[in-house]
Amino acid sequence: MRPSPLHIDFEAAAQPTQSPQTYQPDGQAAPFPPRSPTESFCLQRRLMRSSTAKTYRPDRWGQPWQPGQEPGIDTSAPQHAHPSSAGVVPELHEECEITVVDFSHEDMQMHRLDNRSLVPFMAEPRPDWAMCRWINVNGLSWDVIRLLGNDKGLHRLAIEDLMNTKNRTKADWYSDHTYLVLPMQKLIHLRSDLESESDCSDIEKNEFSSDRSTKNKNKRKKRGPFLKSLLSRSMSSKPSSMNPPKPLDTSADLHDPAKGFITARTAASIKGPVSHVRTLQRYHCGPNEDRIQFMEKHSALASKNLGVGVEQVSIFMTSDNSVISFFESSAEDIETPIIARLGTRETILRRSCDASMLLQGIIDAIIDLAIPVATAYQDAIGELELDVLTEPELKHATSLYVLTSEISQFKSNISPIFNLVNALRDHKSESISTPSLNGKPGYLNSSGVTISQMTQTYLGDVEDHCILITEGLDQMRRAADNMIDLIFNTHSASQNESMKQLTLVTILFLPLTFLTGYFGMNFERFDGVQKHSDSFFWIIAIPLAFVTCLFMM
């Protein structure tokens, strides 16, 4: 007999529940017979299960997701003309900070624009003296993306990848432009706006002195495992003024909980501007928010109120020697040093007037921001190594697991950049033709998007930095794995020593237990008990215990 199909109604909780009624012939409502206990249990279970139903969709900025939809986003199409662009305009809007830099050998001009002032600026032609132009956009807004996409004829697939902030690191080559996407990782401060630098130093000093005093007390007086765990639980339950607040534990600092943003500062300057960034755990997060909060709370950098901010960077390089870069919130970290180099005539970046060299400078600055992150992890693993070598505990294994997880995620963002740099160095300028944004055949450009020989040479320096970072991360992972093995080996040796001592005690009391059972027998005639005192037991027990210990050991 075929079983009946199971139907689950996930919308049961959204419908108002009414008590079922029956109607008598006179129109009066009569109470329905009461439900059986089984029916009541099934109804409660149905309501509880329907409230826990979840919908899993890819995270997209300002655009709905549907399986099988048209790929790409056409910036030249009318609003709501295509399902893929429905809902983009009202949802994805942000006040962007736009910087346009025109430079040549003789002059350099910089313009600070916003969403509204960019429209008349782009309507004017680029000056003839400007050999290269850099448009740097801090923030993602559909009106800015649409304006620049129509002006430069950016491909619809590149526009879609630009708005989807979780892409893989890659370089896409089109007829008259290329699109690069890569993650930027930087060290951030997780402190609130009310905390000053002096407060930070005082707290760190108090933490350091308290840690040293705690370690000295532990060295002078060793506690048992039960007493030690009991005291640690009681101390952890009490609020301590030495520990600074962790913004990650509260939801008030989230810029957008759905996207996982937090409020933080760049670690290069604790007095710098506050921005909204995503942590390393939230950038690679899944739908499990509890796991994210646990990993952030027990992060190796959380004790220092540091974290790793990650955001996607999208770069367009066009055939007219222009570069367009999009940052989510940290454009200032890259823009400041590059503008300083462009302001000096003697720099290679200024003298070359090459868009590919400007592209190399952006990638190099992104890699340079990742170096302090690797150094912070190296410092954290050094402190853990010192704790493991002096007083190994099982809680250190949890910290090392979280650390290796963060190192793996950090490396997964750095390693693809190495392949991206190799792709740029190996790129050969060829005449290619791909459909343009409006669907018309693209034209062949003999020059196309070129990577100069100078750029290929200096990209080798970026490649060396990537290799050094990845090799250091591999070494830290191996050290963390070795420390985890050391912790468990140390605890195994300690347990073996305890078992050895327990075995010695067991061997010592084995003959005594045997004799106690023997002399405790209820015999009618027992001369050893009836004619002797208790000293007779020890006369036999002590030599027997001594002989047994010699034999067993």
Side-chain angles (χ1 to χ4, degrees):
M1 183 176 181
R2 178 179 296 179
S4 59
L6 177 63
H7 299 280
I8 302 177
D9 187 5
F10 289 99
E11 299 180 357
Q15 299 176 358
T17 58
Q18 299 179 356
S19 59
Q21 295 178 344
T22 59
Y23 292 89
Q24 296 179 354
D26 57 357
Q28 298 269 336
F32 195 80
R35 294 188 180 93
S36 63
T38 305
E39 293 177 351
S40 301
F41 174 76
C42 293
L43 179 60
Q44 294 177 2
R45 183 181 179 186
R46 181 183 181 187
L47 292 175
M48 291 186 347
R49 292 184 62 185
S50 61
S51 63
T52 58
K54 295 182 179 180
T55 302
Y56 299 99
R57 295 174 179 268
D59 293 334
R60 298 293 178 93
W61 279 69
Q63 56 174 334
W65 176 84
Q66 293 179 357
Q69 66 184 8
E70 183 76 10
I73 299 177
D74 191 357
T75 56
S76 62
Q79 298 182 10
H80 307 290
H82 194 274
S84 63
S85 62
V88 170
V89 177
E91 292 185 9
L92 185 59
H93 179 76
E94 183 181 358
E95 290 298 326
C96 301
E97 299 175 356
I98 306 171
T99 304
V100 180
V101 182
D102 294 329
F103 63 95
S104 64
H105 300 90
E106 293 80 13
D107 194 9
M108 190 271 285
Q109 293 183 2
M110 183 176 61
H111 307 273
R112 299 287 186 180
L113 307 173
D114 56 10
N115 300 40
R116 290 171 293 276
S117 60
L118 180 65
V119 178
F121 180 84
M122 296 302 298
E124 299 179 359
R126 192 170 76 179
D128 297 335
W129 59 268
M131 300 179 62
C132 184
R133 167 171 284 186
W134 179 30
I135 304 176
N136 190 31
V137 182
N138 187 29
L140 297 178
S141 185
W142 171 245
D143 53 349
V144 177
I145 296 173
R146 184 172 186 175
L147 177 62
L148 296 177
N150 292 333
D151 183 77
K152 298 296 182 180
L154 303 180
H155 200 274
R156 59 184 299 154
L157 292 178
I159 297 297
E160 183 183 18
D161 291 338
L162 167 63
M163 298 178 65
N164 180 20
T165 57
K166 288 187 179 180
N167 282 290
R168 68 178 183 90
T169 303
K170 63 177 181 177
D172 293 335
W173 305 90
Y174 302 102
S175 58
D176 56 349
H177 65 278
T178 182
Y179 171 69
L180 285 78
V181 57
L182 68 160
M184 184 181 75
Q185 303 176 105
K186 64 176 183 178
L187 203 62
I188 58 176
H189 284 287
L190 302 178
R191 299 188 182 277
S192 61
D193 299 342
L194 300 177
E195 293 176 337
S196 62
E197 187 175 1
S198 59
D199 296 335
C200 301
S201 60
D202 294 339
I203 291 175
E204 290 175 358
K205 290 180 180 179
N206 293 332
E207 286 181 345
F208 181 74
S209 59
S210 62
D211 291 342
R212 292 194 61 180
S213 61
T214 303
K215 290 182 179 180
N216 293 333
K217 290 180 181 179
N218 292 334
K219 289 180 180 180
R220 290 193 300 264
K221 183 178 181 181
K222 293 289 184 178
R223 300 186 178 97
F226 177 76
L227 181 59
K228 193 173 184 179
S229 62
L230 185 62
L231 290 176
S232 63
R233 289 180 182 178
S234 61
M235 293 179 64
S236 61
S237 61
K238 298 180 181 179
S240 177
S241 60
M242 297 297 181
N243 297 327
K246 295 182 176 58
L248 295 178
D249 296 340
T250 62
S251 59
D253 293 324
L254 292 179
H255 173 55
D256 187 356
K259 302 297 181 183
F261 284 89
I262 65 168
T263 302
R265 289 188 177 95
T266 303
S269 175
I270 195 171
K271 297 182 180 180
V274 177
S275 60
H276 302 289
V277 296
R278 279 179 295 185
T279 60
L280 188 64
Q281 296 290 344
R282 295 184 181 272
Y283 188 80
H284 294 276
C285 70
N288 195 335
E289 184 68 21
D290 295 336
R291 177 193 176 275
I292 297 173
Q293 294 180 0
F294 178 85
M295 299 294 283
E296 288 178 342
K297 184 177 180 180
H298 296 83
S299 172
L301 305 179
S303 60
K304 304 176 183 178
N305 287 292
L306 295 176
V308 182
V310 188
E311 68 177 77
Q312 176 176 292
V313 180
S314 298
I315 308 173
F316 294 90
M317 186 173 64
T318 60
S319 58
D320 61 348
N321 207 32
S322 298
V323 175
I324 306 173
S325 55
F326 288 89
F327 293 82
E328 295 182 39
S329 60
S330 304
E332 184 179 0
D333 298 327
I334 305 298
E335 179 182 297
T336 302
I338 293 183
I339 290 181
R341 294 170 59 186
L342 292 176
T344 306
R345 293 186 177 183
E346 290 75 17
T347 59
I348 299 175
L349 190 59
R350 173 72 176 275
R351 288 188 286 109
S352 64
C353 296
D354 183 13
S356 61
M357 277 298 298
L358 181 59
L359 175 66
Q360 184 272 340
I362 296 175
I363 299 176
D364 188 26
I366 291 175
I367 296 299
D368 290 342
L369 283 177
I371 295 178
V373 180
T375 306
Y377 279 127
Q378 187 175 6
D379 184 29
I381 200 172
E383 295 178 355
L384 279 174
E385 185 176 9
L386 184 61
D387 294 337
V388 170
L389 292 177
T390 53
E391 294 180 5
E393 298 179 359
L394 289 178
K395 65 179 182 180
H396 294 151
T398 303
S399 302
L400 288 171
Y401 171 79
V402 177
L403 178 61
T404 53
S405 176
E406 293 180 353
I407 290 176
S408 300
Q409 293 174 356
F410 180 58
K411 182 184 175 183
S412 65
N413 293 332
I414 292 292
S415 298
I417 301 180
F418 173 78
N419 300 328
L420 175 65
V421 172
N422 284 331
L424 293 176
R425 297 187 68 185
D426 298 338
H427 175 69
K428 306 298 181 182
S429 178
E430 297 178 356
S431 299
I432 58 176
S433 175
T434 58
S436 60
L437 190 64
N438 54 10
K440 298 179 180 180
Y443 60 90
L444 289 175
N445 192 342
S446 58
S447 60
V449 179
T450 59
I451 305 296
S452 63
Q453 294 292 333
M454 180 184 297
T455 303
Q456 295 179 2
T457 302
Y458 281 93
L459 282 173
D461 180 65
V462 181
E463 183 180 358
D464 293 339
H465 292 170
C466 293
I467 294 176
L468 289 176
I469 294 176
T470 53
E471 288 181 351
L473 294 176
D474 290 336
Q475 184 178 1
M476 283 187 280
R477 283 199 59 185
R478 289 192 295 268
D481 294 338
N482 292 335
M483 281 188 283
I484 293 176
D485 295 338
L486 177 62
I487 291 173
F488 286 102
N489 292 337
T490 304
H491 278 267
S492 298
S494 177
Q495 291 178 357
N496 293 337
E497 186 67 22
S498 300
M499 291 299 298
K500 179 181 178 181
Q501 297 176 0
L502 182 61
T503 303
L504 291 176
V505 174
T506 303
I507 294 174
L508 179 63
F509 283 92
L510 179 63
L512 302 180
T513 304
F514 171 74
L515 291 178
T516 301
Y518 176 75
F519 280 95
M521 295 293 182
N522 294 326
F523 295 108
E524 293 182 359
R525 181 182 176 184
F526 201 158
D527 296 338
V529 176
Q530 297 173 357
K531 296 183 180 181
H532 297 85
S533 64
D534 58 340
S535 60
F536 181 71
F537 172 82
W538 295 108
I539 294 174
I540 301 176
I542 292 176
L544 183 61
F546 180 74
V547 173
T548 304
C549 291
L550 291 179
F551 178 77
M552 296 296 296
M553 297 182 59

